[in-house]
Amino acid sequence: DSGVTQTPKHLITATGQRVTLRCSPRSGDLSVYWYQQSLDQGLQFLIQYYNGEERAKGNILERFSAQQFPDLHSELNLSSLELGDSALYFCASSDLRGDTQYFGPGTRLTVL
Amino acid sequence: AQSVTQPDIHITVSEGASLELRCNYSYGATPYLFWYVQSPGQGLQLLLKYFSGDTLVQGIKGFEAEFKRSQSSFNLRKPSVHWSDAAEYFCAVGGGFNDYKLSFGAGTTVTVRA
């Protein structure tokens, strides 16, 4: 158990809908990262937040957004969902030094 | 741009035999290198990491990896594989200071036969 929690574990929804994925980092970790794992793209970095502020952005679609709250939990919002958004979404956190990321169990999103 | 290549998509190994998974990276500066393992239906677990110093690093579950700068490689090894090692293994590279996002390889699936 890495100490990173993600909810929900599974999510099934329809095209065009909007969902929110939640992540709680390890106690004391200030950085949160979001990754998407899909069969065709593999594991891809989406976005990083550090202590509430966006720090780095990767291959994140404009339909996707994220934020980190004062209690350091983070949410990834996915809107206007398409079939191709079906994937496993991972959250990771790292401490102040930032050099090692610890991953949560992931949220499996299925868009029908 | 940073990138990782894992040349082997799938490896089958007998229980008790040795295992080596290959990883080649591309990064402009000194890389931070990682191996993660993903068991079916599970998240990513950190096996080991290399930042600097001794080029042979030890990790959990009896795994080790060797950093070879001249070959841009960071291969993962285990002397004797157990059935529980069946999983998907990912090599990743990060930039370190101020560039912590990870780039992952496509992964190598390891099957262990009795």
Side-chain angles (χ1 to χ4, degrees):
Chain A
D1 185 356
S2 67
V4 178
T5 60
Q6 291 187 247
T7 55
K9 197 173 173 102
H10 300 278
L11 200 47
I12 301 174
T13 188
T15 54
Q17 295 298 304
R18 172 189 168 95
V19 297
T20 298
L21 313 184
R22 183 188 169 105
C23 167
S24 292
R26 297 183 320 158
S27 177
D29 284 359
L30 299 179
S31 265
V32 169
Y33 305 76
W34 286 97
Y35 291 83
Q36 179 195 59
Q37 184 180 35
S38 63
L39 284 175
D40 53 345
Q41 301 282 339
L43 264 162
Q44 296 226 329
F45 168 73
L46 295 178
I47 197 164
Q48 177 201 358
Y49 275 81
Y50 178 82
N51 203 21
E53 294 192 2
E54 183 184 304
R55 176 65 64 92
K57 218 166 185 174
N59 300 321
I60 187 165
L61 300 172
E62 283 193 14
R63 300 183 285 108
F64 296 1
S65 65
Q67 53 184 326
Q68 186 179 26
F69 294 86
D71 67 352
L72 300 177
H73 91 271
S74 177
E75 292 181 356
L76 180 67
N77 300 296
L78 315 176
S79 62
S80 303
L81 285 168
E82 302 174 0
L83 296 177
D85 298 327
S86 296
L88 194 50
Y89 291 85
F90 285 112
C91 167
S93 73
S94 65
D95 60 18
L96 196 61
R97 210 169 47 198
D99 50 29
T100 303
Q101 293 176 34
Y102 297 91
F103 283 75
T107 293
R108 181 166 295 282
L109 173 67
T110 302
V111 182
L112 301 175
Chain B
Q2 57 200 60
S3 66
V4 175
T5 301
Q6 293 181 246
D8 304 304
I9 296 174
H10 191 194
I11 285 180
T12 299
V13 61
S14 297
E15 193 168 15
S18 64
L19 174 68
E20 181 166 14
L21 303 183
R22 296 183 291 163
C23 171
N24 293 98
Y25 68 89
S26 172
Y27 191 73
T30 301
Y32 283 26
L33 294 160
F34 306 83
W35 275 98
Y36 286 87
V37 60
Q38 184 178 25
S39 298
Q42 303 295 314
L44 294 164
Q45 182 182 23
L46 179 67
L47 282 176
L48 47 77
K49 60 188 178 184
Y50 173 80
F51 296 158
S52 65
D54 192 348
T55 56
L56 185 64
V57 293
Q58 303 296 320
I60 62 170
K61 303 186 180 192
F63 284 93
E64 67 178 25
E66 186 171 14
F67 172 64
K68 293 186 177 179
R69 185 186 298 276
S70 61
Q71 297 176 22
S72 298
S73 70
F74 188 56
N75 294 348
L76 181 72
R77 298 193 292 254
K78 184 167 184 177
S80 177
V81 166
H82 187 261
W83 64 265
S84 60
D85 294 322
E88 190 160 18
Y89 292 80
F90 293 92
C91 180
V93 63
F97 181 71
N98 265 352
D99 184 18
Y100 294 119
K101 64 182 183 294
L102 295 177
S103 294
F104 284 86
T108 299
T109 299
V110 172
T111 298
V112 180
R113 59 180 174 221

